[in-house]
Coordinates of all heavy atoms in Angstrom, one line a residue:
A1 N 22.2 12.4 50.3 CA 23.5 11.7 50.3 C 24.5 12.8 49.6 O 24.1 13.8 48.9 CB 23.3 10.5 49.4
T2 N 25.7 12.5 49.9 CA 26.7 13.4 49.2 C 27.9 12.5 48.7 O 27.9 11.3 49.0 CB 27.4 14.4 50.2 OG1 28.5 13.7 51.0 CG2 26.3 15.0 51.1
G3 N 28.8 13.1 47.9 CA 30.0 12.4 47.3 C 31.1 12.3 48.3 O 32.1 11.6 47.8
I4 N 30.9 12.6 49.5 CA 32.0 12.3 50.5 C 32.2 10.9 50.9 O 33.3 10.3 50.8 CB 32.0 13.4 51.6 CG1 32.1 14.8 51.1 CG2 33.1 13.1 52.6 CD1 31.9 15.9 52.1
P5 N 31.1 10.3 51.4 CA 31.2 8.9 52.0 C 31.8 7.9 50.8 O 32.6 7.1 51.1 CB 29.8 8.5 52.3 CG 29.2 9.8 52.7 CD 29.8 10.9 51.8
P6 N 31.4 8.0 49.5 CA 31.9 7.1 48.5 C 33.4 7.3 48.2 O 34.0 6.5 47.6 CB 31.0 7.3 47.2 CG 30.5 8.7 47.5 CD 30.3 8.8 49.1
A7 N 33.9 8.5 48.6 CA 35.4 8.7 48.5 C 36.2 8.1 49.6 O 37.4 8.1 49.4 CB 35.6 10.2 48.3
L8 N 35.6 7.7 50.8 CA 36.4 7.4 51.9 C 36.9 6.0 51.8 O 38.0 5.7 52.3 CB 35.4 7.5 53.1 CG 34.9 8.9 53.5 CD1 34.1 8.9 54.7 CD2 36.2 9.9 53.8
S9 N 36.0 5.1 51.2 CA 36.7 3.6 51.1 C 35.6 2.8 50.2 O 34.5 3.4 49.9 CB 36.6 3.0 52.5 OG 35.3 2.9 53.1
D10 N 36.0 1.7 49.8 CA 35.2 0.9 49.1 C 33.9 0.5 49.9 O 32.8 0.5 49.3 CB 35.9 -0.5 48.7 CG 37.0 -0.3 47.7 OD1 37.1 0.7 47.0 OD2 37.9 -1.2 47.6
A11 N 34.0 0.2 51.1 CA 32.9 0.0 52.0 C 31.8 1.1 52.0 O 30.6 0.8 52.0 CB 33.3 -0.6 53.4
T12 N 32.4 2.3 52.3 CA 31.4 3.5 52.3 C 30.9 3.7 51.0 O 29.7 4.2 50.8 CB 32.0 4.6 52.9 OG1 33.2 4.9 52.2 CG2 32.4 4.5 54.4
R13 N 31.5 3.4 49.8 CA 31.0 3.6 48.5 C 29.9 2.6 48.3 O 28.8 3.1 47.7 CB 32.0 3.5 47.5 CG 31.6 3.8 46.0 CD 32.8 4.1 45.2 NE 33.9 3.2 45.1 CZ 35.1 3.4 45.7 NH1 35.3 4.4 46.3 NH2 36.1 2.4 45.5
A14 N 30.0 1.4 48.8 CA 29.0 0.5 48.6 C 27.7 0.8 49.4 O 26.6 0.5 48.9 CB 29.5 -1.0 49.0
L15 N 28.1 1.4 50.5 CA 26.9 1.8 51.4 C 26.2 2.9 50.8 O 24.8 2.8 50.7 CB 27.4 2.4 52.7 CG 26.4 3.0 53.6 CD1 25.4 2.0 54.1 CD2 27.1 3.6 54.8
S16 N 26.8 3.8 50.0 CA 26.1 4.9 49.3 C 25.2 4.4 48.3 O 24.1 4.8 48.2 CB 27.1 5.8 48.8 OG 27.9 6.5 49.7
F17 N 25.8 3.5 47.5 CA 25.0 2.9 46.4 C 23.8 2.1 46.9 O 22.8 2.2 46.2 CB 25.9 2.0 45.4 CG 26.6 2.7 44.4 CD1 28.0 3.0 44.5 CD2 26.0 3.1 43.3 CE1 28.8 3.7 43.6 CE2 26.7 3.8 42.3 CZ 28.0 4.1 42.4
E18 N 24.0 1.3 48.0 CA 23.0 0.5 48.4 C 21.8 1.3 49.1 O 20.5 1.0 48.8 CB 23.6 -0.5 49.5 CG 22.5 -1.5 50.0 CD 22.0 -2.5 49.0 OE1 22.7 -2.6 47.9 OE2 21.0 -3.2 49.2
L19 N 22.1 2.4 49.9 CA 21.2 3.2 50.5 C 20.3 4.0 49.4 O 19.1 4.0 49.4 CB 21.8 4.2 51.3 CG 22.1 3.7 52.8 CD1 22.7 4.9 53.5 CD2 20.7 3.6 53.6
M20 N 21.0 4.5 48.4 CA 20.3 5.3 47.4 C 19.4 4.4 46.5 O 18.3 4.6 46.2 CB 21.3 6.0 46.4 CG 22.0 7.1 47.2 SD 23.4 8.1 46.3 CE 22.3 9.0 45.2
T21 N 20.0 3.1 46.3 CA 19.2 2.2 45.4 C 17.9 1.7 46.2 O 16.9 1.6 45.6 CB 20.1 1.0 45.1 OG1 21.0 1.4 44.2 CG2 19.2 -0.1 44.3
Q22 N 18.1 1.3 47.4 CA 17.1 0.9 48.3 C 15.9 2.0 48.5 O 14.8 1.6 48.5 CB 17.5 0.3 49.7 CG 18.3 -1.0 49.6 CD 17.5 -2.1 49.0 OE1 16.3 -2.2 49.3 NE2 18.1 -3.0 48.3
M23 N 16.4 3.1 48.6 CA 15.3 4.3 49.0 C 14.5 4.5 47.6 O 13.4 4.8 47.6 CB 16.1 5.5 49.4 CG 16.8 5.4 50.8 SD 15.4 5.2 52.1 CE 14.9 7.0 52.2
R24 N 15.2 4.4 46.5 CA 14.5 4.7 45.3 C 13.6 3.6 45.0 O 12.3 3.7 44.6 CB 15.5 4.8 44.1 CG 16.2 6.1 43.9 CD 15.2 7.3 43.7 NE 14.6 7.1 42.5 CZ 14.9 7.7 41.3 NH1 16.1 8.4 41.2 NH2 14.3 7.6 40.1
K25 N 14.0 2.3 45.3 CA 13.1 1.0 45.1 C 11.9 1.3 46.1 O 10.8 0.9 45.7 CB 13.8 -0.1 45.4 CG 14.7 -0.6 44.4 CD 15.4 -1.9 44.7 CE 16.2 -2.4 43.6 NZ 16.9 -3.7 43.9
A26 N 12.0 1.9 47.2 CA 10.9 2.1 48.1 C 10.0 3.2 47.9 O 9.1 3.5 48.6 CB 11.5 2.1 49.6
G27 N 10.4 4.0 46.8 CA 9.5 5.1 46.4 C 9.9 6.4 47.1 O 9.0 7.3 47.2
R28 N 11.1 6.4 47.9 CA 11.4 7.6 48.6 C 12.1 8.5 47.8 O 12.8 8.2 46.6 CB 12.2 7.3 49.8 CG 11.8 6.0 50.6 CD 10.5 6.2 51.3 NE 10.2 5.0 52.1 CZ 9.1 4.7 52.7 NH1 8.2 5.7 52.6 NH2 8.9 3.6 53.4
S29 N 12.2 9.8 48.1 CA 12.8 10.8 47.3 C 14.4 10.8 47.8 O 14.7 10.5 49.0 CB 12.3 12.2 47.4 OG 12.2 12.7 48.7
V30 N 15.3 11.1 46.9 CA 16.7 11.2 47.2 C 17.2 12.5 46.6 O 17.1 12.8 45.4 CB 17.4 9.9 46.5 CG1 18.9 9.9 46.8 CG2 16.8 8.7 47.0
S31 N 18.1 13.2 47.4 CA 18.9 14.3 46.9 C 20.4 13.8 47.0 O 20.8 13.2 48.0 CB 18.6 15.6 47.8 OG 18.7 15.3 49.1
F32 N 21.2 14.6 46.2 CA 22.6 14.1 46.1 C 23.5 15.3 45.8 O 23.3 16.0 44.8 CB 22.8 13.0 45.0 CG 24.3 12.7 44.8 CD1 24.9 12.0 45.9 CD2 25.0 13.0 43.7 CE1 26.3 11.6 45.8 CE2 26.3 12.6 43.5 CZ 26.9 11.9 44.6
D33 N 24.3 15.7 46.6 CA 25.2 16.8 46.4 C 26.7 16.1 46.2 O 27.2 15.5 47.1 CB 25.4 17.6 47.8 CG 26.2 18.8 47.7 OD1 27.0 18.9 46.7 OD2 26.1 19.7 48.5
P34 N 27.2 16.4 45.1 CA 28.6 15.7 44.7 C 29.6 16.0 45.7 O 30.4 15.1 46.0 CB 28.9 16.3 43.4 CG 27.6 16.6 42.7 CD 26.7 17.1 43.9
N35 N 29.7 17.1 46.1 CA 30.8 17.6 47.2 C 32.0 16.9 47.0 O 32.5 16.1 47.7 CB 30.1 17.1 48.6 CG 29.9 18.3 49.6 OD1 30.9 19.1 49.8 ND2 28.8 18.4 50.1
L36 N 32.7 17.4 45.8 CA 33.8 16.7 45.3 C 35.1 16.9 46.3 O 35.2 17.9 46.7 CB 34.2 17.1 43.9 CG 33.2 16.9 42.9 CD1 33.7 17.4 41.5 CD2 32.8 15.5 42.8
R37 N 35.7 15.7 46.6 CA 36.9 15.8 47.3 C 38.0 15.1 46.5 O 38.3 13.9 46.9 CB 36.8 15.1 48.7 CG 35.7 15.9 49.6 CD 36.3 17.2 50.1 NE 35.4 17.8 51.0 CZ 34.4 18.5 50.8 NH1 34.0 18.8 49.6 NH2 33.6 19.1 51.9
P38 N 38.6 15.7 45.5 CA 39.5 15.0 44.6 C 40.6 14.2 45.4 O 41.1 13.2 44.9 CB 40.0 16.1 43.7 CG 38.9 17.1 43.7 CD 38.4 17.1 45.1
S39 N 41.1 14.8 46.3 CA 42.3 14.3 47.0 C 42.0 12.9 47.8 O 42.9 12.2 48.0 CB 42.8 15.3 48.2 OG 41.9 15.4 49.2
L40 N 40.7 12.5 47.9 CA 40.4 11.3 48.5 C 40.2 10.2 47.6 O 40.1 9.0 47.9 CB 39.0 11.4 49.2 CG 39.1 12.4 50.5 CD1 37.7 12.5 51.1 CD2 40.1 12.1 51.6
W41 N 40.1 10.5 46.3 CA 40.0 9.5 45.1 C 41.3 9.2 44.6 O 42.3 9.9 44.6 CB 39.1 10.1 44.0 CG 37.7 10.3 44.5 CD1 37.1 11.5 44.9 CD2 36.6 9.4 44.3 NE1 35.8 11.3 45.2 CE2 35.4 10.1 44.9 CE3 36.6 8.0 44.0 CZ2 34.2 9.4 45.0 CZ3 35.3 7.4 44.1 CH2 34.2 8.1 44.5
A42 N 41.3 7.8 44.1 CA 42.6 7.3 43.4 C 42.8 8.1 42.1 O 44.0 8.2 41.8 CB 42.5 5.8 43.1
S43 N 41.9 8.6 41.4 CA 42.0 9.3 40.2 C 40.9 10.2 39.9 O 39.8 9.8 40.4 CB 42.3 8.4 39.0 OG 41.1 7.7 38.6
Q44 N 41.1 11.2 39.1 CA 39.8 12.1 38.7 C 38.9 11.3 38.0 O 37.6 11.5 38.0 CB 40.4 13.3 38.0 CG 39.3 14.2 37.5 CD 39.9 15.5 36.9 OE1 40.4 16.3 37.7 NE2 39.7 15.6 35.6
A45 N 39.3 10.3 37.0 CA 38.5 9.6 36.1 C 37.6 8.7 37.0 O 36.4 8.6 36.8 CB 39.4 8.8 35.2

């Protein structure tokens, strides 16, 4: 996973959280690249 989908919309952010959560629960491994896109976010915070 990367930090780009959660920056695109509320729906894609929810998808990112759900996929990562479900895969961890299933005992799968997860890698995450922040891949920051500040211009896509409402604020840096």
Side-chain angles (χ1 to χ4, degrees):
T2 82
I4 298 176
L8 297 178
S9 68
D10 292 342
T12 51
R13 184 156 57 252
L15 172 67
S16 297
F17 275 102
E18 186 67 16
L19 274 176
M20 294 176 74
T21 299
Q22 290 296 327
M23 291 293 278
R24 282 298 294 267
K25 284 183 177 179
R28 317 297 184 187
S29 57
V30 179
S31 55
F32 179 67
D33 183 347
N35 243 303
L36 299 182
R37 297 292 189 272
S39 64
L40 296 179
W41 291 92
S43 69
Q44 180 173 292

